[in-house]
Amino acid sequence: MAMMKALRKVRAAKGLEIAEVAVPTVGPTDALVRVSAASICGTDLHIYGWDRWSQGRIKPPVTLGHEFCGVVERVGEEVTAVNAGDFVSAEMHVNCGHCHQCRLGEAHICQNLKIIGIDQDGAFAEFVKIPASNIWKLDAAIPERYGAILDPLGNAVHTVLAGPIAGQTVLVTGCGPIGLMAITVAKACGSSTVFASETNAQRRAMALQMGADVAIDPVSEDAVARILRETSGTGVDALLEMSGNPTAIQQGFAALRAGGRASLLGIPTENVQLDLVKDVIFKGATVQGIYGRRMYETWVQMTALLKAGRLNLEPLFGERVALDNFEGAFAMLQKGLAGKILMYPAGMK
Ligand code: NAD
Ligand code: ZN
């Protein structure tokens, strides 16, 4: 049996391990992808740390990794649209195709969603098995490092394009990787002034590099007052909530103009109090929950923006490590590095 290296959650405890496992066998409708580069997501940090959420969700042993790109090694006998040698990424949310939402064309909120790299073996390995229908072929013009972060970039694109954006004033609350990506996407799609609020100074600096017009520290400054002042007392047209922090969410709603839209991607770990009358009803606000990426509208939009060279993602890239050196990469991210760290299962090129 052919074996490969994989970064796995082997036991129900803190940490991850490199293990030798069998190369996945491909079913008739699957593609086997040789992973070129994979990127670490905040979720992987949670699973590494074995927090309450991970304990309830993860069933070890499982190989992590859901942000990646690679080259198709081989495909099952029924696969026609994907070929060996294709440069690809993939939508790692696997929908069932037959539930109510799937039938309505809302596969991203499928009732039976399974996530590759969470519920089944993922891309922190030399090879990953993906249903061919979830494979996203990449244009050779898209650099490998960009190909490895399409999953979070898709979260950002989904959020930004969930409502009007051209000519709009925008507040991005939380400038982690996804908030930072949302800033460049909003700018590329024609938003006017982009305000970014972020408690971490390094991340505020990155927000400006990514194209934010104003970066606000909500700890040392009254963020809502500042935004109202700079929008002639009106507030922003769109709130893109990317922090999951209750205070940021409340400030975001307070800074939203009457008639504006609030698109909420950040995931709070506790209940959040809102004044529904003031924040939503009398405001006539549109509030949206954003989950994953629309299949496959978001992928089409994201690819088009990338191919047109409209997204400057360079400030996001820092460290690159061989998969074997994952500990250093996870430690750096745990310390609060905002960028994306790429891991190379086949070692460094
Ligand atoms: P992240 O944790 O790196 O970023 C969150 C940022 O918010 C951090 O930089 C943090 O300093 C900042 N922040 C915290 N409190 C703040 C405050 N009061 N005001 C302003 N900023 C504040 O996370 P990420 O990887 O960029 O992801 C963003 C969010 O989206 C997370 O909550 C994540 O769980 C969630 N997420 C949701 C989906 C989805 O499908 N809905 C998918 C992926 C991630
Ligand atoms: Zn479904």
Side-chain angles (χ1 to χ4, degrees):
M1 187 173 17
M3 301 296 281
M4 67 172 188
K5 191 185 294 179
L7 179 57
R8 286 163 74 78
K9 190 78 178 174
V10 177
R11 58 197 101 247
K14 189 171 175 220
L16 296 173
E17 290 167 42
I18 296 279
E20 280 285 311
V21 295
V23 172
T25 38
V26 228
T29 56
D30 294 326
L32 185 72
V33 182
R34 181 187 289 272
V35 177
S36 310
S39 172
I40 305 171
C41 165
T43 309
D44 301 319
L45 294 180
H46 289 294
I47 300 170
Y48 179 102
W50 203 235
D51 65 359
R52 201 153 44 92
W53 171 82
S54 325
Q55 292 173 27
R57 176 71 184 257
I58 305 296
K59 308 259 176 297
V62 66
T63 300
L64 301 195
H66 55 273
E67 303 180 357
F68 84 105
C69 65
V71 177
V72 175
E73 183 77 3
R74 61 174 168 274
V75 297
E77 65 266 20
E78 290 175 25
V79 176
T80 51
V82 178
N83 294 298
D86 287 345
F87 174 45
V88 301
S89 182
E91 170 57 65
M92 299 295 250
H93 287 193
V94 179
N95 68 300
C96 74
H98 53 73
C99 76
H100 188 79
Q101 284 75 12
C102 282
R103 291 305 199 199
L104 288 174
E106 296 172 348
H108 63 296
I109 43 171
C110 164
Q111 292 177 27
N112 305 302
L113 210 58
K114 293 262 184 306
I115 306 181
I116 304 174
I118 302 232
D119 303 311
Q120 58 199 66
D121 288 340
F124 289 166
E126 290 175 76
F127 294 96
V128 60
K129 179 179 78 166
I130 312 274
S133 56
N134 279 56
I135 291 283
W136 189 257
K137 288 198 220 179
L138 294 174
D139 195 283
I142 294 177
E144 182 182 89
R145 61 189 181 287
Y146 284 27
I149 61 165
L150 296 179
D151 175 292
L153 181 63
N155 291 139
V157 169
H158 184 182
T159 314
V160 172
L161 294 182
I165 196 72
Q168 303 250 306
T169 55
V170 173
L171 167 60
V172 175
T173 45
C175 301
I178 304 181
L180 291 170
M181 291 174 186
I183 292 169
T184 186
V185 174
K187 276 294 182 183
C189 296
S191 61
S192 54
T193 307
V194 173
F195 298 91
S197 97
E198 167 60 55
T199 47
N200 174 316
Q202 206 188 340
R203 293 179 173 207
R204 279 199 303 282
M206 283 180 83
L208 293 172
Q209 275 182 299
M210 297 296 286
D213 300 282
V214 182
I216 303 171
D217 173 10
V219 176
S220 67
E221 184 177 2
D222 182 337
V224 178
R226 169 84 182 272
I227 291 164
L228 289 177
R229 204 163 63 236
E230 300 211 13
T231 54
S232 314
T234 305
V236 290
D237 298 307
L239 163 65
L240 311 179
E241 207 306 296
M242 305 287 185
S243 76
N245 179 278
T247 307
I249 295 170
Q250 286 154 348
Q251 290 179 341
F253 274 94
L256 185 67
R257 77 164 168 87
R261 67 132 161 161
S263 300
L264 311 179
L265 180 94
I267 301 173
T269 53
E270 52 197 298
N271 288 346
V272 180
Q273 222 167 9
L274 286 180
D275 182 338
L276 277 185
V277 176
K278 196 156 131 265
D279 291 334
V280 179
I281 301 166
F282 285 177
K283 233 175 210 184
T286 302
V287 183
Q288 307 163 306
I290 305 287
Y291 186 50
R293 297 144 297 278
R294 291 195 70 93
M295 298 172 205
Y296 279 82
E297 183 185 6
T298 304
W299 288 87
V300 171
Q301 293 165 326
M302 170 164 65
T303 308
L305 286 167
L306 284 173
K307 268 191 78 175
R310 298 285 284 278
L311 304 181
N312 172 24
L313 304 174
E314 290 311 324
L316 289 170
F317 296 102
E319 301 296 320
R320 301 172 347 121
V321 301
L323 188 66
D324 288 322
N325 299 331
F326 72 93
E327 290 284 9
F330 275 74
M332 255 184 282
L333 290 170
Q334 258 144 5
K335 273 192 229 132
L337 178 90
K340 298 301 281 181
I341 299 186
L342 299 188
M343 296 199 295
Y344 294 80
M348 301 305 294
K349 278 168 244 175

